[in-house]
Amino acid sequence: MASRGKWTSSIGFILAAAGSAIGIGNIWRFPYMTGKYGGAVFLFVYLAAVVLLGMPVMIAEIAMGRATGKNPVGAFRELRPKSQWKLVGYLGVIAGLMILSYYSLISGWTLGYFFKTLAGQLRGATTEATPAVFAAFSANVGLQLLLLGAFIFLTAWIVSRGISGGIEKACKVLMPVLVVIMLVLLGRALTLPGAGKGLEFYLKPDFSKLSPQMVIDAMGQAFFSLSLGMGAMITYGSYLKKDESIPRSTAWVAGLDTVTAVMAGFIIFPALAAYGMSPAGGHPLVFHILPVIFDRMPLGTAFGLLFFLLLGVAALASTISLLEVVAAYCIDELKWNRSKAVWLAGGLSFLLGIPSVLSFAGVPCFRRLPLVGVSFFEMMDFVWGTLALSVGALFISIFAGFVWKKSAAFREIGWGTKGARLGSVWLFSVRYLCPLLIAATLAMLFVG
Ligand code: PHE
């Protein structure tokens, strides 16, 4: 198989890019963060960030990728030779490796819960019991290493097979099925007695809950969920054909991703309220509540199995894109062959994931890092999943707005006389809105 390929169809690109975007970021990270930060306020800041910051940056990333046909480092280098801008690309490649390490661990949890459901271990799940079940599960180091390794292995195996062969096919079939299952869960959650309180929590904002840390996390969550700020969309854009519309693809990918996240909230919060669980359950939140939902619905075991399996597939489409960034860099810049790139990066990521595994076991120094007071895993997620992506997005927007020639960018995106108005909105966003808002939000780190 050739090292570089093209998406065979526009729907192939949209599905694969949506596959990258939709993952446990939507179903695990978004609900627990919304719960932690008091519900509706977080939702609204997050939605604003998706539209104001996410969509312009996504257009920029896809266009940079397609214009150069390169990985993030190569794309910056080609558009601005002999400059330090390639460092933004390097930051993206490193972020890809880092995020892959702990993201695969959480992805492994979905497999673990699939097998737990299969073995009947979640039957009769109660709100009192599920936290202890999760705690025991995540503290089992051998099992966690196995799940982490299995997930990275699966990712590497698919990525090693190349672009249209692996990624596209898997996304095409399975993503829609996940959405159907979520619709069933949605119907179930919304009709539970007591669901209204959860809806209120999710939709009625209490602005006194606004805080600097919350705004930073909501913005980071927007970039994380849309797979932005580290060049995943640069890399995927590099496989996009010239005649596809970038703004249209962006609207689809951002739309599908956001709908999935919002839908997850509509499942989780009504159910939490109905079963009397706190929305502030932290990382394990969805693993606490989902078994309870499945246990008390008709055909719950079947739905549970299918749900955890497909969530695993959604996560896989995301880990594939994380690894693909690293692989594309090694192939283009270091001239490695695909297989060497993929297996070495995968192996490194596994090693980097080990301290995250230990964060959930009783290893005190990883569970609570000295000085910072959070676990190694939480530190990784904040530093790479929130900060690095936000910094990356900041520089990508500045680059697209000021460094990349306007005429070249517009030509790539397909804005000439037609689309000129949308073009000026985009240009204003990447030049002023995104840099100022992202920089101001990041600056709050030092006040809050
Ligand atoms: N967007 C993915 C999710 O929400 C995670 C991801 C982040 C994937 C960055 C690629 C790059 O699950």
Side-chain angles (χ1 to χ4, degrees):
M1 173 152 308
S3 285
R4 269 197 163 271
K6 285 268 183 239
W7 305 105
T8 50
S9 60
S10 112
I11 193 79
F13 171 79
I14 291 173
L15 283 174
S20 165
I22 299 170
I24 51 175
N26 307 56
I27 290 160
W28 159 75
R29 205 177 190 259
F30 170 75
Y32 102 71
M33 280 202 171
T34 309
K36 172 178 164 188
Y37 287 114
V41 196
F42 184 88
L43 171 69
F44 291 143
V45 179
Y46 163 76
L47 288 177
V50 166
V51 176
L52 297 178
L53 310 176
M55 293 182 68
V57 172
M58 188 181 286
I59 291 181
E61 280 203 28
I62 300 176
M64 286 175 64
R66 188 168 72 177
T68 56
K70 294 250 159 68
N71 67 90
V73 174
F76 278 105
R77 188 178 281 145
E78 183 169 319
L79 293 173
R80 192 69 176 186
K82 300 199 184 64
S83 73
Q84 294 307 315
W85 280 100
K86 59 177 183 294
L87 293 179
V88 183
Y90 281 115
L91 178 70
V93 174
I94 295 170
L97 211 53
M98 294 294 182
I99 296 175
L100 181 63
S101 76
Y102 69 85
Y103 192 96
S104 300
L105 174 63
I106 316 293
S107 307
W109 291 354
T110 65
L111 297 187
Y113 268 63
F114 170 81
F115 288 114
K116 270 189 177 312
T117 310
L118 195 65
Q121 288 174 8
L122 298 174
R123 215 168 289 145
T126 60
T127 52
E128 292 79 35
T130 50
V133 169
F134 178 82
F137 166 75
S138 60
N140 183 339
V141 174
L143 176 66
Q144 295 302 316
L145 287 176
L146 184 75
L147 291 172
L148 171 69
F151 214 87
I152 294 185
F153 181 87
L154 211 63
T155 307
W157 181 72
I158 295 179
V159 175
S160 71
R161 295 181 52 197
I163 285 306
S164 42
I167 307 174
E168 199 174 326
K169 264 188 229 155
C171 293
K172 223 179 233 175
V173 193
L174 295 168
M175 288 301 107
V177 187
L178 179 66
V179 174
V180 172
I181 298 188
M182 286 181 71
L183 281 174
V184 174
L185 292 180
L186 185 76
R188 170 70 188 174
L190 290 178
T191 50
L192 286 171
K197 272 232 134 2
L199 282 179
E200 199 180 309
F201 175 81
Y202 191 40
L203 296 177
K204 206 165 141 213
D206 172 357
F207 287 104
S208 68
K209 288 182 179 154
L210 267 174
S211 72
Q213 186 64 39
M214 190 219 91
V215 177
I216 295 171
D217 273 338
M219 176 178 81
Q221 174 60 19
F223 293 133
F224 186 91
S225 194
L226 296 169
S227 304
L228 295 175
M230 53 151 286
M233 292 298 162
I234 297 182
T235 307
Y236 272 23
S238 74
Y239 307 116
L240 182 64
K241 284 187 188 153
K242 288 287 178 197
D243 53 0
E244 301 298 346
S245 160
I246 292 177
R248 212 188 49 140
S249 303
T250 297
W252 269 105
V253 175
L256 290 172
D257 183 68
T258 307
V259 166
T260 316
V262 171
M263 207 154 94
F266 274 114
I267 297 168
I268 300 297
F269 295 111
L272 285 168
Y275 295 129
M277 281 183 111
S278 160
H283 294 112
L285 185 71
V286 298
F287 292 92
H288 287 170
I289 186 68
L290 284 168
V292 181
I293 304 181
F294 292 129
D295 191 60
R296 302 189 193 177
M297 72 186 270
L299 296 175
T301 304
F303 278 117
L305 283 175
L306 221 54
F307 179 84
F308 285 123
L309 189 67
L310 291 174
L311 183 53
V313 174
L316 188 61
S318 302
T319 53
I320 285 169
S321 70
L322 288 163
L323 186 54
E324 180 61 35
V325 171
V326 187
Y329 163 73
C330 298
I331 293 165
D332 295 347
E333 308 297 313
L334 306 180
K335 310 289 174 222
W336 291 4
N337 68 39
R338 181 167 273 273
S339 169
K340 175 178 169 191
V342 164
W343 292 108
L344 276 179
L348 185 57
S349 204
F350 174 75
L351 295 178
L352 289 166
I354 294 175
S356 288
V357 168
L358 298 178
S359 304
F360 293 94
V363 187
C365 60
F366 292 112
R367 194 179 210 151
R368 203 159 230 288
L369 291 176
L371 297 177
V372 278
V374 296
S375 70
F376 181 87
F377 161 80
E378 287 169 299
M379 186 271 296
M380 287 290 277
D381 191 30
F382 183 65
V383 170
W384 298 103
T386 297
L387 286 188
L389 298 187
S390 303
V391 170
L394 171 69
F395 284 115
I396 288 167
S397 64
I398 295 175
F399 185 87
F402 292 105
V403 182
W404 197 11
K405 261 222 186 86
K406 179 191 157 193
S407 56
F410 272 39
R411 195 175 335 115
E412 188 58 50
I413 304 172
W415 287 322
T417 38
K418 214 173 102 230
R421 186 167 307 150
L422 194 57
S424 39
V425 173
W426 175 79
L427 198 63
F428 175 78
S429 303
V430 288
R431 276 197 174 161
Y432 308 110
L433 200 64
C434 299
L436 287 177
L437 285 178
I438 301 172
T441 304
L442 287 175
M444 292 197 293
L445 259 185
F446 303 101
V447 280

